Amino acid sequence: MKHHSDMRGGFPVAGFDTLSGAERVLVRAMRHWSDGPEGQDHIARLLLEVMVEARAKTCQRALNDVMGLIGRHGRRKLIRHQPHCSCVGADEAVFAHFIMLAATGEREDAMLVGSLIVEGPLLLPLTEAARQAGLYLHRSTLSGMVPSTDMAGVTVH
């Protein structure tokens, strides 16, 4: 089976319901980020649903840094699915995974995944911004504000 090269990055690799709570928030934020001021407002509301206002603002600034670096210096444009799509594309999955690696202290792995997104000189600032954004989401998951996915007993393949 051959796929058109335009599909690269957008190929579905997971279902939205298989992501952790923080990863779902990150994918939703990625889907809305490029929609200008309306998308930015949507991200702000999304973050306010899962954390207090001060943390939401700090998290959004860090996400803006991540997305700005990717937008200006990315190896290629990241492909995103429609906001309410139930599948997760490859770029969306890599984006969420990268941020959660950075947030949970897996710096070397985060930088390895980040090297798929931007060139080497930008890995440190991208990983630091991802760490900041991801930490707020990870803390919200731990505090129960972001529901996590319970994968116990689920057959993956």
Side-chain angles (χ1 to χ4, degrees):
M1 175 179 201
K2 288 188 175 185
H3 298 285
H4 193 272
S5 64
D6 289 341
M7 188 72 161
R8 164 181 71 179
F11 193 79
V13 296
F16 200 75
D17 59 342
T18 64
L19 299 177
S20 73
E23 289 170 327
R24 285 193 303 266
V25 171
L26 288 166
V27 169
R28 288 176 64 197
M30 180 184 164
R31 290 178 178 182
H32 288 285
W33 193 82
S34 298
D35 294 339
E38 184 178 307
Q40 300 296 312
D41 289 343
H42 187 86
I43 294 169
R45 289 190 305 274
L46 176 68
L47 294 174
L48 283 171
E49 290 175 12
V50 298
M51 62 186 77
V52 297
E53 185 175 0
R55 290 182 181 179
K57 286 182 179 183
T58 303
C59 183
Q60 185 165 13
R61 280 193 298 273
L63 277 174
N64 286 343
D65 290 346
V66 170
M67 295 305 295
L69 281 168
I70 293 170
R72 288 187 305 276
H73 305 289
R75 292 182 179 273
R76 63 173 174 74
K77 183 177 175 158
L78 297 182
I79 305 299
R80 60 194 172 110
H81 286 232
Q82 293 299 315
H84 299 292
C85 184
S86 64
C87 58
V88 178
D91 285 352
E92 294 170 330
V94 167
F95 173 78
H97 186 62
F98 162 67
I99 291 179
M100 294 316 298
L101 284 170
T104 57
E106 301 293 335
R107 188 170 185 243
E108 290 79 17
D109 287 349
M111 291 181 67
L112 179 63
V113 173
S115 71
L116 300 171
I117 301 170
V118 297
E119 296 290 331
L122 295 168
L123 282 174
L124 286 174
L126 181 69
T127 303
E128 177 56 23
R131 184 191 66 79
Q132 289 177 358
L135 269 176
Y136 284 101
L137 288 167
H138 186 62
R139 287 178 184 155
S140 295
T141 301
L142 293 175
S143 69
M145 293 184 77
V146 178
S148 61
T149 301
D150 182 14
M151 295 294 288
V154 175
T155 302
V156 178
H157 291 280

